Amino acid sequence: MYHASVNIRSLLIGTLFLGALAPSHANAMRSAEWSFAGETFESGWEVAGDPSLTSTPEGLRISTTVRSLFGRSVSTADPIDTISLDYKADDYIEAGIYWHEKGRDNDDLTKASLRLAPTNGVGSIYLDMTKYERWERRTDFIGIGLPADSELIINRLRVQGWNPVEKLLVALRSFWTFDSIRPSSINFLWGPHIAFTPIGREMMFKSTPPMEQSANRYFYIVMGIAVAWTVYGIKKYPARKKKAMSTLAGVMAALWITYDIRMGTEFLWNAKHDYDTYLSKPIGQRTFRERSFFTDFAAGAASLVQDRKEYVFLAPQRWPYLGLIRYYTYPIVPTEPEQDGTKDTWVVYKRPDVILNPKNQLESRGVVLTRPGGILHEFETGTFIFREQS
Amino acid sequence: MMLLLLPVGLLLPTVSGWLTLRLVEKEHPVLLNLERWTLGCLLGTTLSMYLSFLAHIAGFMSLSLTGFLGIQVSYFLLVSLLWMRFHVSWHVKPVPSLPKNVRLSKPVTILLATLMCWTLLKLIVGAVILVSTPPYQDDVFNNWNMRGKLFGITNALTLEFAIGNDITAVGGVSSYPPTVSMTKTMLTDMARQWHEGLANSIHFVWFLCVLILVYCTLRRRMPAAWALAGVYGLSSLPLFFMHGVTPYADVFMAAHIFAAVSMLYGAVSAQSDEHSASFLRLGALATGLLVFTKNEALLLYLPVILLLLVFILRHLHAHDVFGEKQVRRTVSNFAMALLLVGAPWILFKLAHNLPFGNAKSVSGLEIAWQEGVAYAIIINTFFEGNWALLIPLLLGCIVFFQKESLRSATVIFTAFFLLLYIGQLPLFFFTGLSTEALNQTGYARGLVQIAPIGVTALFLIVHSVLSPPTAAKD
């Protein structure tokens, strides 16, 4: 790879130089926001279909009886990369984002599906519009389409766009954005991903699989260029083959080390999190990853059931808690309420629906589960160990 | 303090393992000192557990501390006596010399030292996490540690217990060889109570074992700096490292696979027929014990190792390195090792109706094209963080440098890797095992098990491309 270092250096310097020369307004993130909270309503909005619009303190309530569209014209001067919607809904709504593509009729809008989940109060959804192939960054119209018989309160709508320099900086930061250790980490690690918008970076590892691009493709591009350059160099200067191969090996080693530093740092970052939340905390205050305080709960339960053969175990879901509690309490085994056996002890984890009624029986949603007894130890509401009176 | 029981518990198996290896090497030792102690620890522990298994199913011992100690002391006495008997009559030849170390430039020295410190930091932090955090991954509390605890409580090789997330199901993970769980039982029996950190600590030993074995294998062919770079390469594979510091059995399996295959490689690259024969005897021992590690050994790895053995023996015979007699002796060594370990284990499985697959039965698999598998495999292999850049670099090297990768001794590693990798793809593409690829479970684990082979192949190829053959030390 002849003169590679000089050329790469020149390229880097050139890029930085061009970045510095970029007009100052090009470095500013562009955003526009429309708030409907506090019964405010700006002009410029258009509707299609037959929606009923009502201003409320929480935002604009839109009720539909037929398919409807709620949208507005936007400035084509400012490119749009993401759309954020703060809204309130009681049910799932199979909605859509609509926009107008250049060169098409004004009525001919492009649609992307948008599933709005029910919210507890006002919730938010972020859309990285660059993910849609047909997205027009400089569109002149955006809107939200609602199906018939739906109701939605729009609290705020925000559109944002970033220039190339800002996107490059976000991409660099996203490479160093880490994923947490989770049960699936024993089977696969997502590895570095590249997002070009801050929202994309923030949401990067929150969906499965990640919505953003794998950074590996950029490594492969560099590797491909390095190999092509080396092959070209060897063909042109066969006598310098050994030096070319050494340079190629150096580039590959540098890429490997970069990858290792990224993944090794992710591991250490996770280890520090474990130290901060588990290893450095006293028993009773520590939590472990998404399992919360289950470890201490299970250890406590194990000591309280050790004179029994079995017990009833209740948790929000079977996996992973059933296997875990069995492991902690073995040879005393967990059973389920409907199983036969001689069990008088109930080990309950994060089940706020299971309560002690006035007759000192365990009860869940009006169904009595046990004979009268008492709570041996309560960790928090819905997490306790109960034993029936003998 | 409990963790101090780890070296205490491994002392007898390691010394016995060392003596076993020396007995197998006979008058022609081929292993480096570090390598012999490492292999002694790895194979000695597995052999001790295998002997305990045999004694237990024969009704001679319970899986208690006394039982384990009884077997280990007997094993130690046996190999010590044999060692004393033979050692005096042997005319031991020197171990083959190593390639000379090269003088490194200052920047390379600093870079290598920095990478070693970085790796050491990761290993220390990983070890702390391994021994001090609660059980987290599924197979820890549903299989390896659970069975270790079960054996300790029942003092027996109990096969039936509540499994997975089901209350009453029976079978599944009990079909795995009990080596990993029995080792945990043995260690925690010394503590007189189940100790999570102590039970997990053995996994770090296995992780170090495979790193050291890769170093020693590379060191026989290249200077120490290169071999250290190879160790760095293996430890920097993100998913392999994750397995190294998690109480799963795939690195344990990887260490045994590497032990067996590296001995075959040693046989092909050795300078004399005696050294080749020594390596093949060691290979027979490692291959026999491989059967007692995980179910994959019998179905996936053993056929490929035997295929390579045939290739090696034909090669050695064709080049007049081995005569008919040596070929027959090698075949009988392998047959005996496989028979001694495989036969009791297979009979035990048949007697207890335990499946031969990876906790699943392999019989009755329907053949049909499985949608989505190719995409899942491409993503896992090339676009996730699991393998760093290993796979494209290795495949690229094999394509571009065929002489170094396929027409030299390195072919043992490259052929093993390719045969295993390509050979198991139809299982995912055409059978119900596709879920292992689609859910990214079994597919990635399979690669973890052969990652040391892949890394070693890569460094052997790159070294032979970049460095002229180095002269041996005087």
Side-chain angles (χ1 to χ4, degrees):
Chain A
M1 184 143 22
Y2 309 102
H3 317 300
S5 57
V6 175
N7 286 333
I8 288 170
R9 198 181 306 137
S10 309
L11 187 68
L12 281 172
I13 292 169
T15 307
L16 290 173
F17 184 67
L18 283 174
L21 282 182
S24 58
H25 73 266
N27 290 323
M29 175 197 77
R30 265 73 55 91
S31 74
E33 182 178 312
W34 298 276
S35 175
F36 301 92
E39 301 184 11
T40 55
F41 187 75
E42 290 178 38
S43 60
W45 290 92
E46 302 165 32
V47 294
D50 186 22
S52 152
L53 307 179
T54 318
S55 286
T56 72
E58 286 179 306
L60 181 69
R61 183 192 307 275
I62 308 175
S63 307
T64 66
T65 51
V66 294
R67 278 178 58 206
S68 304
L69 180 69
F70 178 74
R72 68 171 297 139
S73 298
V74 288
S75 164
T76 54
D78 300 330
I80 297 170
D81 294 314
T82 63
I83 297 175
S84 315
L85 175 68
D86 295 349
Y87 71 99
K88 189 177 172 187
D90 293 329
D91 297 304
Y92 281 104
I93 301 174
E94 301 297 341
I97 287 281
Y98 288 78
W99 66 90
H100 180 239
E101 288 186 61
K102 255 184 219 166
R104 290 177 168 256
D105 289 345
N106 282 349
D107 292 341
D108 186 7
L109 300 177
T110 309
K111 179 194 171 189
S113 297
L114 169 65
R115 189 167 207 235
L116 297 172
T119 58
N120 185 11
V122 173
S124 299
I125 188 167
Y126 305 99
L127 299 166
D128 185 349
M129 299 307 293
T130 58
K131 292 279 178 298
Y132 300 102
E133 256 180 47
R134 292 180 62 185
W135 173 244
E136 178 85 43
R137 290 185 76 224
R138 292 184 188 276
T139 183
D140 57 3
F141 179 89
I142 56 165
I144 297 170
L146 295 172
D149 301 320
S150 58
E151 186 172 293
L152 174 75
I153 293 177
I154 299 181
N155 176 275
R156 189 182 70 148
L157 185 71
R158 191 179 189 203
V159 295
Q160 290 174 289
W162 290 268
N163 66 39
V165 175
E166 287 169 328
K167 286 185 171 183
L168 182 66
L169 291 175
V170 172
L172 289 173
R173 284 188 70 193
S174 67
F175 180 80
W176 294 101
T177 300
F178 302 132
D179 187 19
S180 303
I181 291 181
R182 56 187 94 215
S184 63
S185 302
I186 199 68
N187 293 324
F188 58 88
L189 302 162
W190 292 129
H193 278 62
I194 299 292
F196 291 98
T197 65
I199 290 168
R201 188 176 82 84
E202 196 183 314
M203 305 301 290
M204 202 154 67
F205 293 119
K206 289 181 181 163
S207 65
T208 302
M211 291 288 286
E212 306 301 328
Q213 297 175 356
S214 165
N216 289 23
R217 65 175 68 190
Y218 298 98
F219 280 85
Y220 298 152
I221 290 169
V222 178
M223 287 163 74
I225 292 170
V227 169
W229 202 325
T230 305
V231 171
Y232 167 77
I234 290 172
K235 278 196 172 167
K236 203 169 177 189
Y237 307 101
R240 298 187 194 169
K241 183 180 175 182
K242 190 166 184 291
K243 194 183 171 196
M245 294 304 294
S246 299
T247 309
L248 178 64
V251 171
M252 297 302 175
L255 290 172
W256 187 302
I257 291 167
T258 306
Y259 210 103
D260 172 41
I261 292 170
R262 161 63 179 75
M263 294 306 288
T265 312
E266 178 174 286
F267 176 77
L268 296 179
W269 176 80
N270 274 299
K272 183 181 180 305
H273 180 262
D274 285 347
Y275 178 80
D276 290 342
T277 57
Y278 184 80
L279 295 173
S280 65
K281 300 279 187 201
I283 292 171
Q285 289 177 28
R286 59 190 186 173
T287 59
F288 190 64
R289 299 176 192 166
E290 84 284 0
R291 304 267 161 88
S292 186
F293 61 91
F294 188 83
T295 304
D296 288 344
F297 164 77
S303 64
L304 290 170
V305 300
Q306 63 184 344
D307 55 348
R308 298 301 197 260
K309 274 179 70 180
E310 57 190 11
Y311 56 91
V312 178
F313 177 64
L314 298 177
Q317 71 267 357
R318 298 181 91 200
W319 186 89
Y321 300 113
L322 188 60
L324 266 173
I325 195 87
R326 181 200 52 190
Y327 174 66
Y328 278 107
T329 63
Y330 206 84
I332 298 104
V333 291
T335 64
E336 288 182 303
E338 59 270 20
Q339 280 187 281
D340 293 333
T342 51
K343 62 244 178 181
D344 61 355
T345 306
W346 289 59
V347 175
V348 183
Y349 181 71
K350 288 194 185 280
R351 285 287 300 267
D353 60 302
V354 181
I355 55 168
L356 193 66
N357 69 16
K359 292 178 181 171
N360 287 333
Q361 302 159 317
L362 283 190
E363 181 183 309
S364 171
R365 297 186 182 97
V367 178
V368 175
L369 303 170
T370 66
R371 289 183 286 136
I375 288 180
L376 299 180
H377 187 80
E378 185 169 31
F379 293 79
E380 65 172 30
T381 304
T383 302
F384 55 85
I385 291 137
F386 169 89
R387 182 163 292 157
E388 293 174 347
Q389 283 170 356
S390 48
Chain B
M1 289 301 283
M2 284 287 187
L3 295 179
L4 292 176
L5 291 173
L6 175 70
V8 176
L10 293 180
L11 184 65
L12 266 181
T14 303
V15 174
S16 307
W18 187 95
L19 289 165
T20 307
L21 294 171
R22 273 304 289 117
L23 286 167
V24 172
E25 286 177 292
K26 296 185 180 173
E27 292 176 299
H28 299 281
V30 287
L31 300 174
L32 311 185
N33 271 332
L34 176 65
E35 190 176 24
R36 194 176 297 112
W37 280 111
T38 306
L39 267 180
C41 176
L42 179 74
L43 300 183
T45 306
T46 303
L47 189 50
S48 295
M49 291 307 129
Y50 173 67
L51 295 173
S52 303
F53 161 78
L54 279 185
H56 177 67
I57 59 172
F60 294 131
M61 64 164 267
S62 65
L63 297 187
S64 62
L65 182 60
T66 318
F68 282 118
L69 269 180
I71 291 298
Q72 285 174 21
V73 170
S74 307
Y75 171 35
F76 172 73
L77 288 175
L78 176 71
V79 285
S80 301
L81 289 171
L82 287 171
W83 165 250
M84 283 188 279
R85 159 71 183 81
F86 289 112
H87 184 62
V88 286
S89 60
W90 283 344
H91 301 288
V92 179
K93 309 290 185 299
V95 178
S97 54
L98 298 176
K100 275 183 186 168
N101 278 322
V102 288
R103 191 176 170 80
L104 300 172
S105 66
K106 201 171 176 186
V108 172
T109 309
I110 291 170
L111 177 67
L112 202 57
T114 309
L115 291 178
M116 288 302 114
C117 291
W118 165 246
T119 304
L120 201 61
L121 171 71
K122 284 196 296 175
L123 287 173
I124 292 168
V125 172
V128 171
I129 294 295
L130 175 68
V131 300
S132 58
T133 55
Y136 182 66
Q137 309 288 1
D138 208 43
D139 269 354
V140 178
F141 56 84
N142 277 327
N143 184 2
W144 307 115
N145 284 22
M146 181 66 227
R147 289 166 72 211
K149 196 173 188 180
L150 178 75
F151 298 161
I153 288 169
T154 59
N155 286 336
L157 195 63
T158 308
L159 296 174
E160 295 190 350
F161 70 108
I163 190 171
N165 297 307
D166 297 320
I167 293 290
T168 54
V170 170
V173 294
S174 292
S175 69
Y176 286 116
T179 325
V180 171
S181 299
M182 278 172 64
T183 309
K184 290 167 185 279
T185 308
M186 183 268 289
L187 288 171
T188 52
D189 273 356
M190 289 196 306
R192 299 281 175 197
Q193 59 177 313
W194 183 257
H195 188 274
E196 199 68 34
L198 183 59
N200 291 346
S201 60
I202 184 65
H203 292 271
F204 193 70
V205 174
W206 288 325
F207 186 29
L208 290 181
C209 280
V210 72
L211 293 179
I212 294 169
L213 291 179
V214 166
Y215 171 83
C216 294
T217 300
L218 291 175
R219 183 68 187 94
R220 265 198 289 275
R221 303 293 294 173
M222 56 188 74
W226 272 92
L228 279 176
V231 172
Y232 164 75
L234 180 59
S235 72
S236 64
L237 295 183
L239 195 62
F240 190 79
F241 184 87
M242 179 62 77
H243 273 258
V245 296
T246 301
Y248 265 45
D250 298 285
V251 165
F252 163 77
M253 174 104 219
H256 282 79
I257 293 168
F258 188 82
V261 179
S262 65
M263 294 304 121
L264 299 186
Y265 170 76
V268 177
S269 55
Q271 302 294 322
S272 71
D273 61 331
E274 293 95 344
H275 289 151
S276 289
S278 265
F279 274 120
L280 286 175
R281 285 194 299 275
L282 290 165
L285 175 69
T287 305
L289 288 174
L290 184 64
V291 176
F292 202 60
T293 53
K294 277 189 86 184
N295 284 342
E296 297 93 303
L298 206 56
L299 295 174
L300 280 176
Y301 301 117
L302 192 59
V304 181
I305 288 174
L306 294 180
L307 188 70
L308 289 177
L309 178 68
V310 172
F311 165 81
I312 290 166
L313 290 177
R314 280 190 59 166
H315 171 82
L316 293 176
H317 186 56
H319 288 80
D320 293 330
V321 181
F322 268 22
E324 293 277 346
K325 196 176 163 190
Q326 279 171 306
V327 170
R328 274 202 301 277
R329 192 173 294 160
T330 303
V331 171
S332 68
N333 285 341
F334 269 83
M336 193 188 300
L338 286 172
L339 199 67
L340 282 175
V341 182
W345 172 237
I346 290 169
L347 286 174
F348 179 80
K349 281 191 127 184
L350 292 172
H352 291 89
N353 203 23
L354 298 175
F356 281 83
N358 190 1
K360 297 177 182 73
S361 175
V362 288
S363 59
L365 286 177
E366 286 182 23
I367 307 295
W369 174 253
Q370 307 290 318
E371 287 292 334
V373 170
Y375 179 74
I377 284 178
I378 288 171
I379 294 294
N380 185 288
T381 313
F382 296 105
F383 293 102
E384 288 178 2
N386 308 318
W387 317 110
L389 306 174
L390 172 68
I391 308 294
L393 281 180
L394 179 59
L395 295 180
C397 280
I398 292 172
V399 169
F400 280 106
F401 308 115
Q402 291 182 13
K403 184 184 157 205
E404 290 80 1
S405 56
L406 300 174
R407 293 196 292 275
S408 70
T410 307
V411 72
I412 300 299
F413 287 116
T414 47
F416 185 87
F417 188 90
L418 290 176
L419 285 170
L420 251 304
Y421 185 63
I422 295 168
Q424 66 180 302
L425 290 181
L427 283 176
F428 300 125
F429 282 126
F430 296 106
T431 73
L433 292 176
S434 58
T435 51
E436 301 283 330
L438 292 169
N439 298 336
Q440 301 202 54
T441 49
Y443 170 75
R445 305 260 190 90
L447 275 180
V448 166
Q449 292 168 5
I450 57 173
I453 303 280
V455 169
T456 306
L458 177 67
F459 276 80
L460 285 170
I461 298 166
V462 173
H463 176 259
S464 54
V465 169
L466 294 180
S467 304
T470 40
K473 261 188 217 168
D474 293 328

